[in-house]
C-alpha cells in the first residue's frame, strides 16, 4: 500500500488546466474556418461578377462605332429638338412663299378656281344674343339668303371664342344657336374674356385662312352696321391686289397713365412723343390672303398690344404690306357712300 502513489489536490488542479484551455482554442479555430470560407466565397463571387461585367463591356465596346456619326453627335449634344424645329421652320417658309405672303413669290388665283371673294368675321360675345338677332334682321343675311351669298363668294360668320369654364352653359348656348343658324366661327383655342380680347384678332385671321380660301379676310366690330353691297363692291375693285392692308387709317396718342381708358401697358415702346404708328381702325380691318397667311404662320411669335388694331398695325409694319386708307371705311364719317356706320 505504501507503493501506491497518492494524488494530491494540487496535482489534480494542474492536470485539469490543459483540458479547460483546449475548448476556446477549438472554438476559435472553428470560427476562423467559417470566416475564411465566407471571405473566400465572396471573393470568388466578386471575381465572377467582374468577369461577366468585363465581357459585357468588351462586347458593347465592340458594337459601338469608333467614329461618331453626325446623328450620334446631335443626340449627345441634345440638339435633335433644335434640328426638328429648323426643319419645320424651313418647311413653313417654303409653304409661306408658295402661298404668297412674300411679295416676290405670289401666285395669283382666278375666281374660276373656286376662290371666295371675302370671309367677313363679325365679333360677338356671350351676352350679345339680341345684337346678333338685330344684325340678322338688318344687313346680315340668314338662312337660304346666307347660303346664296356664299355662292357669290362671300362668307359671313359671327366670331366667338370659348368660355373660360369650357363646356358650361355659355358654351352650350352658343353651340345650340350655332346648330340652328349655322353662322358662327367658334375659335376653339381662344378664351372669350375681356383680358384676352386683343388676342382674338390673331385667332380669327389664322382660323379663317385655314378654313376658307378667299382673296380678303375682314374683321368687323359688333357695334357697327354694314352696307354689305357697298363693301362687296369695294373688295371687287381691289381683287388680285397683293399685300393689301385696307381700313380707315389713323394714329393717335398713347395713353401711359394706368387706370385711364385705352391705357397702353407698353407705352414706353412708342417713343418720347407717345404716338401710335399708322394703322387701320379697329371697327373694320381688311387683309388680303397673303397677309392673313403671314399671321397664321407666325402667330406664335407675334406680339399683341392693348388694342387689336394697334397689334395688327405692328405686324404689318415689318412686311411688304400696301397700306390703303379708304375713308369709306371710317364708320364715324359723314360721307354718304361710306360702307359702315356706328350703331
Amino acid at each position: 500500500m505504501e507503493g501506491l502513489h497518492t494524488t494530491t489536490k494540487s496535482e489534480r488542479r494542474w492536470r485539469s488546466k490543459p483540458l479547460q484551455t483546449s475548448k476556446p482554442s477549438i472554438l476559435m479555430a472553428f470560427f476562423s474556418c467559417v470566416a475564411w470560407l465566407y471571405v473566400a466565397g465572396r471573393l470568388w463571387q466578386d471575381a465572377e461578377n467582374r468577369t461577366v461585367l468585363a465581357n459585357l463591356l468588351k462586347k458593347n465596346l465592340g458594337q459601338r462605332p469608333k467614329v461618331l456619326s453626325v446623328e450620334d453627335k446631335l443626340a449627345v449634344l441634345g440638339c435633335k429638338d433644335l434640328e426638328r424645329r429648323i426643319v419645320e421652320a424651313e418647311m413653313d417658309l417654303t409653304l409661306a412663299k408658295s402661298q404668297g405672303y412674300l411679295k416676290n413669290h405670289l401666285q395669283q388665283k382666278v375666281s374660276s378656281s373656286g376662290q371666295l371673294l371675302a370671309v367677313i368675321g363679325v365679333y360677338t360675345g356671350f351676352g350679345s344674343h339680341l345684337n346678333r338677332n338685330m344684325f340678322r334682321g338688318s344687313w346680315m343675311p340668314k338662312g337660304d339668303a346666307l347660303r346664296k351669298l356664299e355662292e357669290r363668294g362671300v362668307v359671313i360668320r359671327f366670331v366667338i371664342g370659348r368660355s373660360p369654364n369650357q363646356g358650361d352653359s355659355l358654351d352650350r348656348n352658343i353651340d345650340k344657336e350655332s346648330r340652328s343658324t349655322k353662322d358662327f366661327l367658334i375659335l376653339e383655342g381662344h378664351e372669350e374674356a375681356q383680358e384676352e380680347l386683343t388676342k382674338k384678332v390673331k385667332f380669327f385671321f389664322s382660323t379663317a385662312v385655314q378654313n376658307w380660301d378667299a382673296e380678303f379676310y375682314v374683321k368687323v366690330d359688333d357695334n357697327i352696321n354694314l352696307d354689305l353691297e357697298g363693301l362687296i363692291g369695294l373688295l371687287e375693285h381691289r381683287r388680285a391686289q397683293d399685300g393689301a392692308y385696307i381700313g380707315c387709317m389713323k394714329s393717335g396718342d398713347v395713353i401711359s397713365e394706368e387706370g385711364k381708358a385705352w391705357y397702353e401697358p407698353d407705352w414706353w415702346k412708342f417713343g418720347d412723343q407717345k404716338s401710335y404708328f399708322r394703322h387701320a381702325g379697329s371697327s373694320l380691318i381688311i387683309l388680303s390672303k397673303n397677309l392673313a397667311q403671314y399671321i397664321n404662320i407666325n402667330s406664335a411669335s407675334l406680339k399683341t398690344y392693348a388694342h387689336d388694331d394697334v397689334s395688327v398695325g405692328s405686324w404689318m409694319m415689318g412686311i411688304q404690306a400696301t397700306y390703303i386708307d379708304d375713308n369709306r371705311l371710317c364708320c364715324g364719317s359723314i360721307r354718304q357712300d361710306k360702307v359702315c356706320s356706328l350703331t
Side-chain angles (χ1 to χ4, degrees):
M1 297 296 292
E2 290 179 1
L4 294 172
H5 179 71
T6 304
T7 303
T8 64
K9 187 175 182 180
S10 60
E11 288 176 339
R12 288 196 302 270
R13 187 181 297 115
W14 179 83
R15 289 177 180 175
S16 65
K17 281 183 180 180
L19 295 175
Q20 290 175 356
T21 55
S22 64
K23 291 179 180 180
S25 299
I26 293 171
L27 289 174
M28 286 295 293
F30 174 75
F31 284 121
S32 296
C33 288
V34 171
W36 182 86
L37 291 173
Y38 173 77
V39 172
R42 289 300 302 271
L43 290 174
W44 179 263
Q45 186 178 10
D46 289 345
E48 286 186 333
N49 290 339
R50 284 196 297 272
T51 302
V52 172
L53 290 174
N55 290 335
L56 287 174
L57 182 60
K58 187 176 180 180
K59 183 179 179 181
N60 290 336
L61 287 174
Q63 291 177 349
R64 287 177 62 91
K66 295 182 179 179
V67 179
L68 290 178
S69 65
V70 174
E71 186 113 351
D72 293 328
K73 291 178 181 178
L74 288 172
V76 172
L77 296 174
C79 293
K80 274 193 171 294
D81 186 61
L82 179 60
E83 182 189 27
R84 177 183 59 80
R85 292 183 184 181
I86 292 172
V87 171
E88 289 177 351
E90 290 174 346
M91 293 174 64
D92 286 341
L93 182 58
T94 303
L95 177 64
K97 288 178 179 178
S98 66
Q99 294 181 341
Y101 83 85
L102 293 181
K103 190 171 184 178
N104 295 331
H105 296 84
L106 291 174
Q107 291 184 351
Q108 301 297 338
K109 292 185 179 180
V110 295
S111 57
S112 60
S113 66
Q115 187 180 33
L116 299 169
L117 173 64
V119 175
I120 302 173
V122 183
Y123 272 24
T124 191
F126 293 116
S128 301
H129 179 71
L130 294 177
N131 209 29
R132 290 192 292 272
N133 284 340
M134 182 183 70
F135 286 166
R136 293 184 185 114
S138 56
W139 63 267
M140 181 174 173
K142 57 182 178 180
D144 291 338
L146 186 65
R147 285 188 288 275
K148 289 180 179 178
L149 182 65
E150 293 179 7
E151 292 174 1
R152 290 177 56 192
V154 178
V155 172
I156 304 178
R157 294 290 186 270
F158 288 111
V159 182
I160 192 169
R162 285 300 189 182
S163 168
N165 302 310
Q166 287 202 16
D168 63 7
S169 60
L170 297 176
D171 279 347
R172 292 195 298 272
N173 290 338
I174 290 295
D175 289 338
K176 182 180 178 181
E177 185 178 348
S178 178
R179 287 192 296 269
S180 173
T181 60
K182 295 180 174 57
D183 58 4
F184 276 88
L185 172 59
I186 300 176
L187 307 176
E188 296 292 346
H190 174 67
E191 183 179 298
E192 191 69 31
Q194 185 62 35
E195 60 273 16
E196 299 293 325
L197 187 59
T198 58
K199 298 177 182 177
K200 187 173 181 177
V201 68
K202 184 161 58 174
F203 277 94
F204 163 64
F205 283 119
S206 295
T207 306
V209 80
Q210 290 177 47
N211 290 350
W212 293 282
D213 178 23
E215 291 208 31
F216 298 101
Y217 298 84
V218 185
K219 176 259 177 181
V220 178
D221 272 347
D222 63 351
N223 63 342
I224 66 171
N225 284 317
L226 276 182
D227 174 4
L228 187 57
E229 290 301 323
L231 178 62
I232 291 174
L234 184 152
L235 296 176
E236 286 280 5
H237 180 68
R238 298 289 181 181
R239 268 190 184 276
Q241 183 163 1
D242 60 277
Y245 173 38
I246 311 171
C248 177
M249 297 295 169
K250 65 174 187 176
S251 185
D253 295 334
V254 178
I255 306 302
S256 59
E257 291 80 18
E258 188 172 358
K260 286 191 175 182
W262 312 112
Y263 168 65
E264 174 59 72
D266 290 313
W267 58 267
W268 57 275
K269 294 182 179 180
F270 295 91
D272 296 336
Q273 299 301 319
K274 295 181 183 177
S275 179
Y276 284 120
F277 40 75
R278 204 76 169 157
H279 61 276
S282 176
S283 296
L284 212 156
I285 301 173
I286 303 172
L287 299 180
S288 61
K289 179 181 178 179
N290 56 330
L291 299 184
Q293 286 174 328
Y294 171 80
I295 293 173
N296 177 42
I297 292 169
N298 298 281
S299 60
S301 58
L302 292 176
K303 162 73 176 174
T304 56
Y305 291 94
H307 315 295
D308 60 357
D309 53 354
V310 175
S311 298
V312 175
S314 70
W315 306 335
M316 296 300 104
M317 288 180 67
I319 57 177
Q320 300 178 36
T322 302
Y323 283 60
I324 301 173
D325 183 12
D326 193 327
N327 55 18
R328 287 176 295 175
L329 302 174
C330 298
C331 303
S333 74
I334 59 174
R335 283 191 56 155
Q336 295 299 316
D337 60 346
K338 65 182 180 180
V339 300
C340 61
S341 59
L342 299 173
T343 58

